[in-house]
């Protein structure tokens, strides 16, 4: 019931994203009352800065639940009803390597796709699985593990393969819905989008207003082609050819060579460098005791509407409202051509028992082939992260649509493993 208070533990609570989340919790008290909020983070500096601002926001909003920060994982997870995971193993320094190392091999440098995305998965999957095991032991019966940690599709696949009570979440769908609502000049919550694919490999195939039969996407492509081209990174001719609006991450596949050429230009600045600089500024602002609201600069951090998506998901799981949201979960026949146990990202009915995917129209070959290719890579990525086998890393890179060549896959595997040695104990057993 909405009136029954819950405990929420945020793993990686020292993230600069966190004030967005705590603000969202206040906005949705009509659906889920949080009695206790705990931010878990190993960094005392971040616990002090982010935790301080978070508590001030909560109190300013009139929130009277218990609030604490801690480095004690056991204490944070004990009795939790929701565990929200927003980790970044290795911080922005490791992300910088993900975004730059592959470029030297003629491949895309990105933190969630390609070789960089695999590197992040190798660092992250074992840590998240360990947290999920601890959650199963210490959290309340029926607790939900909500993963917001990239690469979300791979991490959620690992969690569900191991039988954990987990749902994956990304902000891409809700961002797209809100942008289309903006262009249509309507309340975004009235826009129903047909969002389908894998995490960071999705397309919006239709957009309808609630209660109306007409698909407004062709009109949007016609009226706002230049804007949608800019936001998706995909040329307008391709958007018309597809009859769909790809997420921004799809342009890494469709525009791979152009993106690599841009990243190869001398002086190119990685996103990790920009974010590290922004986080320094944000943390300094967070320490101001007079600050009791989210600072304006937080909007530049990325992750737009993160708090809205996360809190809506938790509230629906808690209250069992059965509303439709876009999440990462088992396919279970929703997308034809993919196995039932494949984690996909599409529309689902969310209730107290979890996320139940809604049946989707078959994907055309140009989409299905790429999705099947990427899903095979994701499954191999999970295997590599769990096995600690170099050969499994090579296999994953061979299957990755953004690598897919030999001996390039072997060379990249050695480079990725070497650069991440400090975070990959399974691969470097003494």
């Amino acid at each position: 019931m909405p009136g029954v208070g819950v405990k929420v533990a945020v793993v990686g609570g020292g993230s600069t994203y966190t004030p967005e989340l705590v603000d969202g919790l206040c906005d949705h008290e009509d659906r889920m009352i949080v009695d206790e909020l705990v931010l878990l983070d190993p960094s005392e500096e971040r616990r002090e800065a982010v935790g301080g601002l978070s508590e001030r926001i909560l109190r300013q909003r009139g929130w009277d639940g218990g609030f604490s920060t801690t480095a004690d994982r056991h204490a944070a997870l004990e009795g939790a009803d929701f565990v929200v995971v927003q980790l970044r193993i290795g911080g922005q320094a490791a992300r910088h390597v993900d975004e730059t190392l592959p470029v030297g091999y003629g491949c895309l440098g990105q933190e969630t796709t390609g070789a960089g995305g695999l590197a992040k998965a190798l660092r992250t999957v074992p840590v998240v699985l360990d947290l999920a095991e601890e959650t199963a032991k210490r959290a309340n019966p029926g607790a939900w593990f909500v993963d917001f940690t990239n690469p979300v599709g791979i991490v959620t696949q690992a969690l569900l393969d191991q039988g954990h009570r987990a749902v994956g979440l990304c902000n891409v769908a809700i961002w797209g819905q809100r942008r289309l609502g903006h262009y249509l000049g309507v309340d975004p919550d009235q826009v129903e989008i047909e969002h389908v694919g894998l995490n960071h490999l999705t397309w919006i195939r239709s957009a309808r207003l609630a209660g109306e039969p007409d698909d407004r996407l062709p009109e949007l492509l016609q009226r706002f082609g230049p804007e949608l081209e800019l936001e998706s990174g995909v040329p307008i001719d391709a958007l018309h050819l597809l009859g769909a609006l790809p997420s921004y991450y799809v342009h890494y596949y469709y525009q791979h060579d152009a993106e690599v050429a841009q990243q190869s230009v001398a002086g190119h600045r990685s996103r990790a460098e920009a974010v590290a600089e922004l986080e320094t500024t944000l943390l300094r602002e967070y320490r101001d005791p007079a600050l009791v609201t989210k600072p304006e600069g937080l909007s530049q951090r990325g992750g737009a509407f993160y708090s809205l998506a996360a809190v809506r998901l938790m509230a629906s799981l808690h209250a069992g409202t059965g509303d439709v949201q876009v999440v990462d979960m088992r396919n279970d026949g929703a997308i034809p051509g993919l196995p039932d146990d494949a984690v996909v990202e599409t529309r689902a009915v969310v209730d107290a028992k979890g996320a139940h995917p809604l049946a989707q129209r078959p994907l055309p070959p140009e989409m299905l082939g790429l999705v099947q290719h990427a899903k095979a890579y994701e499954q191999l990525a999970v295997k590599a992260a769990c096995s600690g086998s170099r050969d499994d890393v090579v296999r994953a890179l061979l299957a990755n649509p953004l690598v897919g060549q030999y001996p390039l896959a072997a060379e990249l595997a050695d480079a990725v493993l070497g650069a991440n040695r400090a975070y990959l104990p399974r691969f470097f057993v003494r």
Side-chain angles (χ1 to χ4, degrees), residues 171-180 231 304-305:
N171 71 315
V172 166
I174 195 168
W175 184 88
Q177 177 202 41
R178 265 140 176 75
R179 292 306 297 159
L180 296 187
E231 291 177 357
F305 307 112

Side-chain angles (χ1 to χ4, degrees), residues 7-11 13-14 18 22 34-41 46-48 50-52 54-55 58-59 63 65-72 75-78:
K7 176 180 177 179
V8 176
V10 182
V11 182
T18 300
V22 298
V34 179
D35 281 341
E36 185 178 359
L37 175 63
V38 181
L39 307 185
L40 172 66
D41 201 281
R46 283 180 172 263
R47 292 198 307 272
E48 179 183 351
V50 178
S54 297
E55 184 167 23
L58 291 169
R59 303 312 178 201
W63 191 83
F67 176 83
S68 61
T69 66
T70 183
D72 183 344
L77 299 179
E78 193 70 43

